[in-house]
Amino acid sequence: MMHLKETELCLGLGLPGSCEQTDTALKATGKRGFSETVDLMLNLQTKDQSSSVDMNDKKLQSSTKNNKDLTKPPAKAQVVGWPPVRNYRKNVMAQKSNTEETEKAVAGGGSAASFVKVSMDGAPYLRKVDLKLYESYQQLSDALAKMFSSFTMGNYGSQGMIDFMNESKLMDLLNSSEYVPSYEDKDGDWMLVGDVPWQMFVDSCKRLRIMKGSDAIGLAPRAMEKCKNRS
Amino acid sequence: MSKRLISGADQVLENVLENVLIFLTSRRDRNAVSLVCKSWCRAEAHTRSDLFIGNCYAVAPRRVTDRFKRLRSVYLKGKPRFADFSLMPADWGAHFTPWVYVMAGAYRALEKISLKRMLVTDDDLAVIAKSFKGFKELVLVCCEGFGARGLGVIATECRNLRVLELNEDEVLEDEFDWISCFPSDCTTSLESLCFDCLESPVNFEALEKLVARSPLLKKLRLNRHVSIQQLYRLTSLAPQLTDLGTGAFGLQDIIDPQQPAYQEPDHGHTFAACKSIVCLSGFRDLAHEYLPAIFPICANLTSLNLSYAHVDAQQLKSVIRHCHKLRIFWTLDSICDEGLQAVANACTDLRELRVFPTDPSENAEGPVSETGLLAVSLGCRKLQSILYFCQQMTNAAVIAMSNNCPDLEVFRLCIIGRYRPDWVTGQPMDEGFGAIVKNCKKLTRLAVSGLLTDRAFSYIGQYGKLVRTLSVAFAADGDTGLKYVLEGCTNLQKLEIRDSPFGDSGLQSGLHHFYNMRFVWLSSCRVTKQGCLEVARRLPKLVVEVFRRDEEDGGERGDFVNTLYMYRSLDGPRADAPQFVKIL
């Protein structure tokens, strides 16, 4: 029931998924974990947004629609059970909208997608994600959580990305049985996700692996070193 | 019924009659036969093997088992259709449990159960599995309350199972591996296995083995967790399939531990083996680059459902131009008017079209319009059934369709923007719908939308003599609309109305007809509790339920009743009504 209400709310405000993206974009800029890289990221993000505007005209239209709808009188607010599309269908389409719609937009814009394989330790199948669909680590994290929802991701999703600055917190996470994402970069090294600014990550990531924190311990020192070098 | 001894001669007559009636399959004919006299009624009851009950509360289970002794198949319908749109409180009813227990005691030879919009529990499924030894077919449509565990019991116990179809059900995600419950030691009798609505992944290895040992399997509908690679493996094992739901038809890789260097199979050959597929659906997570894989089988298709995939006009064109035999086509409006033109060009034999909205909000860009509707009407002259969602429409296009497609039996037009007039002329949509009821002489089902006045309803009452189902939302000026319909539509069976200004006097004008109907639904209209009480008083065999969607007690919304749902019943008001439902 709750899930349905959420989708109803989203549908009332414009294209499905667009309101979620606005929320996560806000969350991303507020992330403490990237205190060093926040400024860098903001600059990169505005660059991203302007380029993504070129690619994704549809998305831009949807966000302006968003604003238009918000100023409309209450009479035009979402009416229960209208239009008469079965709940079953509404749920299915709401689930698909995030990936498929933006996939279409990207394909239409002509920019090459950036598909990488994602594996999760213990899961029987792989997934592929297009990193170009996301604008921040938070968005990627949410998408991964959805993809592997049948397997527990622990508190990883809600905490957001790893705070590399806080050494003890980092070690706690890696010592736990929580899942952390790691990636293989251009040099073939396996790194912890979140150590570099988002765009740099998209450019260098070749594949993703979601592994148990305890398995990722070996990756931590390198990640922390990279952070320290940038400060 | 009193047991009266009948003479030898009469008994012979009855036996002869029974032997003739065995051949009578149409339930309408059978109902007519049973009204001739008591003897004919008895004979008919002895020979009826398929029973259809359109409203599970119209009759008590006991009455059914008393009258019909030898049923092979039962089809039960529960909640009214508006329940699909969240207009009904969750615990309203339509429980299958009392039925299954009574039937378990009476019908040892029951083979087939079909349920629509009923609440079915895992226990109910277990009772089916354990009570009916030769059980063959289970079809659950828009049901809920059960999980994979219940399916597991069916799979384990029903050794003669031919058909297991789950269609748009809400199945509890209990992550139970039901596919592995099918007996693994022998071939199965499975002809149809449909689980496309299942949200959890199934054990693919077990599924593969099941398909491999089901040589009679003709219909297989997979859920979105089955990737295109897995589909390829299944179609290779079952080249005899005629009906396929493809699952994701998209990007899901499998980690195969035996093959560290993973290779993508040649998808062009996914369907090379399946020459017999005539019905294709699925595409739940479509990767568009794989769409050409279906080209080889398009020419044979009579039914194609792309309505869970965002296919644009260009992509659709590449597919549809091969589909000359297509009779049924379901799609999203993402194909645009251009795509509909392509359908009109290629599918001259089309009988049923459904166009669903990608974006169901009221102010969205509407990719389809009157242009698409007109194109379809010109190209698909044999059209019998249409469901069309759009943001805007014109009377001219609807009138054109009424003239071009005289075989229409089902016309459901949903203009998503409420109260929208003909956007070209600014007129209400009265003339369009009027033309439909007037020109489409076979029309039995009608759903109206857009700006409508009483005139539209006067047309419906005047010309809609064969209309059995009418759906109305956000329409009309006042009571007269309802009066026209109830007085004019002599064959009306199912009336569902929401958010329209129909009140007590309109309601009273149907008193002569309500006993002939399956149900009447009025929500967010202008009927008062007094008006409902009056109906209940005048028609004692009518169950008059009054409730609120949000389950607040009393069912009232200010002066007016929130939801009125009434139906005839041979056995009085139901005993399982929850507290917030008032039966007057």
Side-chain angles (χ1 to χ4, degrees), chain B residues 128-343:
Chain B
I128 294 177
K130 308 241 157 106
S131 314
F132 307 115
K133 286 303 155 203
F135 195 71
K136 295 202 172 97
E137 299 185 21
L138 182 64
V139 176
L140 300 173
V141 181
C142 299
C143 295
E144 55 182 338
F146 64 97
R149 267 175 219 286
L151 298 175
V153 184
I154 296 277
T156 311
E157 305 282 338
C158 304
R159 298 245 146 191
N160 293 315
L161 198 67
R162 281 199 302 228
V163 170
L164 179 57
E165 289 182 12
L166 306 173
N167 189 342
E168 294 192 31
D169 305 304
E170 259 191 59
V171 184
L172 301 168
E173 289 186 54
D174 54 13
E175 307 225 337
F176 181 76
D177 183 5
W178 61 285
I179 289 280
S180 299
C181 292
F182 284 96
S184 54
D185 50 353
C186 53
T187 58
T188 75
S189 346
L190 274 180
E191 293 171 17
S192 168
L193 180 64
C194 302
F195 58 93
D196 43 346
C197 60
L198 231 55
E199 278 305 298
S200 348
V202 295
N203 178 337
F204 182 73
E205 217 182 278
L207 177 64
E208 208 177 357
K209 292 199 183 114
L210 179 65
V211 170
R213 63 178 193 279
S214 303
L216 301 173
L217 195 67
K218 286 284 187 345
K219 187 168 166 182
L220 179 64
R221 294 195 182 175
L222 309 162
N223 71 1
R224 63 182 179 91
H225 292 284
V226 178
S227 70
I228 192 166
Q229 293 92 336
Q230 291 170 325
L231 173 67
Y232 174 59
R233 284 158 68 165
L234 294 175
T235 52
S236 316
L237 289 169
Q240 76 282 4
L241 285 177
T242 58
D243 183 322
L244 177 66
T246 64
F249 216 72
L251 303 161
Q252 247 172 282
D253 297 316
I254 322 163
I255 302 178
D256 190 333
Q258 273 91 45
Q259 287 182 287
Y262 182 72
Q263 295 236 319
E264 294 222 339
D266 179 4
H267 297 303
H269 289 99
T270 305
F271 294 114
C274 304
K275 307 275 181 230
S276 326
I277 294 183
V278 292
C279 179
L280 193 60
S281 61
F283 308 100
R284 298 287 175 129
D285 218 342
L286 177 64
H288 294 89
E289 61 266 30
Y290 295 140
L291 210 48
I294 72 170
F295 290 171
I297 54 168
C298 283
N300 294 330
L301 291 181
T302 55
S303 171
L304 176 60
N305 183 352
L306 294 174
S307 66
Y308 290 103
H310 291 117
V311 176
D312 67 25
Q314 283 310 116
Q315 290 155 350
L316 194 263
K317 275 178 177 174
S318 66
V319 169
I320 209 76
R321 60 193 180 94
H322 303 288
C323 303
H324 297 290
K325 286 196 194 158
L326 211 60
R327 295 210 162 188
I328 299 174
F329 182 51
W330 291 23
T331 177
L332 281 181
D333 60 6
S334 54
I335 65 171
C336 302
D337 287 330
E338 200 187 330
L340 287 171
Q341 181 65 65
V343 174

Side-chain angles (χ1 to χ4, degrees), chain A residues 4 11 15 65 72 75 79-89 92-93 95-96 100 125-126 128, chain B residues 84-86 117 168 197 199 253 255 284 286 307-308 310 332 359-361 365 389 414 416 418 498:
Chain A
L4 179 61
L11 288 169
L15 285 174
K65 253 199 207 101
K72 274 214 174 346
V79 175
V80 174
W82 186 261
V85 175
R86 277 199 188 146
N87 289 337
Y88 170 76
R89 176 172 285 277
V92 169
M93 297 315 288
Q95 272 175 9
K96 284 159 61 67
E100 262 221 2
Y125 44 81
L126 285 180
K128 268 185 184 167
Chain B
D84 293 344
F85 314 128
S86 309
R117 290 198 194 93
E168 294 192 31
C197 60
E199 278 305 298
D253 297 316
I255 302 178
R284 298 287 175 129
L286 177 64
S307 66
Y308 290 103
H310 291 117
L332 281 181
D359 180 357
S361 49
E365 295 275 314
F389 283 86
C414 180
I416 297 176
R418 294 166 292 152
R498 64 167 294 184

